[in-house]
Amino acid sequence: IVRVAECERVDVVMLSHRGRSLKNVLLGSVAEEVVRISRIPVFVVKDGIEVFKRILYVHYRSLLKVV
C-alpha cells in the first residue's frame, strides 16, 4: 500500500478498518502498519462508510476547516 501510494505520488492514503476495538487498530493490523511506516498522511475510517459529504480537517498549524 505504501509503495503504491509513493509511486502514484498521492497526497493522502485512506484505509478502512473493520476491527472491533481500538486495540485491534493499534496492535498488528494492516492499517496500523501503514500508519507506522508511511511518510504520506494516512486516514483510517471505520469499515462500512462509503460516502463522505463533509470532512473536518484539523492541522496543528491552522484552524479547523470543514471541506
Side-chain angles (χ1 to χ4, degrees):
I1 294 169
V2 173
R3 195 173 311 142
V4 170
E6 290 172 348
C7 288
E8 294 294 325
R9 300 177 61 187
V10 301
D11 295 319
V12 65
V13 175
M14 188 167 91
L15 298 170
S16 64
H17 173 69
R18 62 182 179 179
R20 305 272 189 258
S21 70
L22 183 59
K23 181 179 177 182
N24 290 354
V25 173
L26 299 176
L27 300 174
S29 71
V30 172
E32 188 275 334
E33 180 79 5
V34 172
V35 167
R36 191 171 54 76
I37 67 173
S38 179
R39 292 178 287 173
I40 299 165
V42 179
F43 181 46
V44 181
V45 297
K46 186 174 181 180
D47 195 24
I49 299 173
E50 297 178 17
V51 177
F52 295 99
K53 295 184 183 193
R54 294 170 54 92
I55 298 171
L56 179 63
Y57 172 72
V58 181
H59 188 276
Y60 73 96
R61 292 185 181 165
S62 66
L63 298 174
L64 300 179
K65 193 186 303 183
V66 177
V67 292

